[in-house]
Amino acid sequence: MTPPVLDITDLSATYMEDGRQLLALQHVNIRVQPGEFVCLIGPSGSGKSTLLDIISGLFAETHGTLAIDGKVLTPSQRPGATSYMRQRDLLMPWRNALENAALALEVHGYSPAEARDRAAARFEEFGLAGFEQSYPAQLSGGMRQRVAFLRTVLADRDLLMLDEPFGALDALNRAALQQWLVRMWEHQKQGVVMVTHDVDEAVFLADRVIVLSARPGTVVHEEIINLSRPRTRAMVTAPTFLAHRAVLLDALGLLEEVGV
Ligand SMILES: Nc1ncnc2c1ncn2[C@@H]1O[C@H](COP(=O)(O)OP(=O)(O)OP(=O)(O)O)[C@@H](O)[C@H]1O
Ligand SMILES: [Mg+2]
């Protein structure tokens, strides 16, 4: 049997701040199967970004084990094992859009020329055609986000991690990229862990939605989404969709606040 693409057992994480320990995550258990699309939601400060930073090796847990593709990895073994788009993904200002997009491929051993060719072939699909030579300062916020997204997708690991990838996009751009992400995922079938604060986006995209509590973050609810694939926009008004949405808003404790 193929092992889970991600297997986290009893993970805790602590930051040091002004000489004090701040517990960000505690007793987190998460398993993601190959090709499964998981969305992660939770209040601000619940440790969602911290969790993805730990999985990618940018930050070390204080307790627990973490396996990728069935192999337990120490923090220093994790960089490069996953494709990761951070919440505030900074492009390198001295590299143009094409060179930024090609970065992950260069890191994974392609020559700069080959990496640029492969990246260039996807610019049209990401709505970036014609902006290959533009520098980050010359791009709109949404375009910068799409370049960072393209760079992450090109890394092509078994686990794709996205931290609010569409946060800075307007509704039209956002809907287009959601559709695009679903199509790409249906085709490539990577495991995905995507952080979003948008419950509708989570239900629309995911096979399963994991809810983290307020800090220290721990898993308080898991919702398996019973919507067929391919997903279509028409589904967002279906009773099943609305039922999932209500359960998740309840788990987040938001029902009263938003007046549902
Ligand atoms: N480098 C750091 N040093 C100290 N504390 C940190 C650091 N990074 C995050 N924290 C703290 O850890 C907790 C979790 O932060 P994290 O960024 O993981 O939350 P989040 O769930 O991603 O929030 P958001 O939805 O706002 O992005 C917060 O209380 C935050 O202040
Ligand atoms: Mg975050």
Side-chain angles (χ1 to χ4, degrees):
M1 226 184 77
T2 323
V5 67
L6 176 69
D7 198 352
I8 292 174
T9 312
D10 199 17
L11 182 139
S12 305
T14 310
Y15 286 109
M16 284 302 289
E17 207 170 54
D18 303 330
R20 290 186 309 126
Q21 289 196 340
L22 182 141
L23 186 60
L25 293 166
Q26 73 174 347
H27 305 309
V28 173
N29 293 289
I30 291 177
R31 187 174 283 180
V32 179
Q33 299 301 336
E36 189 183 18
F37 199 128
V38 171
C39 277
L40 189 61
I41 61 175
S44 184
S46 58
K48 304 179 296 294
S49 299
T50 300
L51 186 61
L52 298 199
D53 280 357
I54 290 171
I55 300 167
S56 68
L58 292 170
F59 181 68
E61 67 276 16
T62 35
H63 185 269
T65 55
L66 194 158
I68 293 171
D69 289 331
K71 279 197 245 15
V72 173
L73 299 182
T74 62
S76 65
Q77 292 172 319
R78 291 173 201 158
T82 55
S83 312
Y84 181 25
M85 177 172 168
R86 298 192 80 194
Q87 188 166 5
R88 278 167 292 276
D89 210 336
L90 297 177
L91 300 176
M92 293 182 173
W94 60 88
R95 285 186 154 224
N96 67 29
L98 186 56
E99 291 162 343
N100 264 292
L103 196 63
L105 290 170
E106 285 179 43
V107 170
H108 290 301
Y110 288 90
S111 72
E114 199 179 348
R116 280 199 297 274
D117 282 351
R118 282 176 167 256
R122 307 288 291 270
F123 260 57
E124 172 116 45
E125 191 185 335
F126 279 72
L128 291 165
F131 291 90
E132 289 83 352
Q133 310 305 323
S134 303
Y135 286 85
Q138 301 168 308
L139 300 172
S140 71
M143 290 172 113
R144 281 198 291 273
Q145 210 164 2
R146 276 179 277 149
V147 173
F149 188 33
L150 171 56
R151 178 177 66 190
T152 310
V153 164
L154 285 168
D156 197 23
R157 306 283 104 177
D158 289 343
L159 182 63
L160 173 65
M161 301 195 296
L162 306 167
D163 195 348
E164 302 210 20
F166 310 133
L169 300 176
D170 60 64
L172 265 179
N173 254 317
R174 194 178 176 97
L177 271 178
Q178 283 172 359
Q179 279 288 359
W180 181 88
L181 175 61
V182 170
R183 297 282 165 267
M184 183 207 74
W185 172 81
E186 280 163 355
H187 185 66
Q188 300 191 357
K189 278 290 184 178
Q190 289 162 292
V192 177
V193 177
M194 175 172 150
V195 173
T196 175
H197 58 255
D198 181 338
V199 171
D200 288 352
E201 180 170 88
V203 177
F204 180 68
L205 293 173
D207 295 318
R208 184 158 55 99
V209 181
I210 295 176
V211 184
L212 287 189
S213 67
R215 188 171 64 81
T218 195
V219 176
V220 287
H221 182 75
E222 296 198 35
E223 182 84 352
I224 294 170
I225 306 300
N226 289 313
L227 293 169
S228 56
R229 306 263 182 195
R231 301 274 164 91
T232 60
R233 285 281 150 203
M235 287 177 181
V236 303
T237 52
T240 314
F241 190 100
L242 298 174
H244 285 311
R245 181 176 188 273
V247 171
L248 288 167
L249 286 172
D250 194 26
L252 283 170
L254 288 180
L255 273 174
E256 280 162 329
E257 257 175 62
V258 296
V260 177

